[in-house]
Amino acid sequence: MASTLHSQPLALEDKSLAHLLYGLMACFPLFLVPAALSLLINFYQPQHHPDSALAVHLRWQRWSLVGMFTIMLIGYLVSSQWLSTTLYVAAAVWFIGRVFKGWLSLIEGRNI
């Protein structure tokens, strides 16, 4: 019984938390506050079975947010204006691509 509970397909799991977090991540241009809130909510979620669809999406979201914030921090610390701007734009484009890919995978019921 316990093994079938952890191996549920994505269609049977509650996807509302993942949708909420992807929605917050998609609002990142608003001073990065929604993305930071999404990261905090994500970190404080109870641990799920590592192979469950929800756990896979939460891990994808965490790495997307941490990666974006890291690249933006590096862009902030760089003294050259053109390099800093390039890093900000690259981080935003990369992050938007990951949000779309993750959210579409969630809607289609696929793991990432």
Side-chain angles (χ1 to χ4, degrees):
M1 178 72 178
S3 64
T4 60
L5 179 65
H6 295 299
S7 62
Q8 292 179 1
L10 186 57
L12 299 177
E13 287 184 307
D14 183 18
K15 299 185 271 184
S16 58
L17 174 65
H19 282 292
L20 171 72
L21 295 179
Y22 277 122
L24 286 172
M25 288 169 62
C27 296
F28 82 95
L30 302 173
F31 306 108
L32 300 175
V33 172
L37 180 63
S38 173
L39 185 61
L40 287 174
I41 292 171
N42 195 321
F43 275 134
Y44 286 107
Q45 288 305 305
Q47 296 298 318
H48 300 280
H49 187 269
D51 294 332
S52 74
L54 183 60
V56 170
H57 279 278
L58 290 176
R59 187 170 42 250
W60 174 266
Q61 291 171 352
R62 270 192 307 271
W63 282 110
S64 298
L65 288 162
V66 167
M68 181 192 64
F69 285 134
T70 302
I71 294 170
M72 288 193 161
L73 178 66
I74 292 169
Y76 178 76
L77 296 175
V78 170
S79 61
S80 174
Q81 180 66 34
W82 68 269
L83 184 56
S84 178
T85 303
T86 303
L87 286 172
Y88 288 150
V89 170
V93 169
W94 175 79
F95 183 71
I96 289 168
R98 286 187 61 101
V99 169
F100 280 131
K101 182 179 180 181
W103 211 345
L104 288 176
S105 296
L106 180 67
I107 290 169
E108 293 172 354
R110 294 182 294 119
N111 282 346
I112 295 185

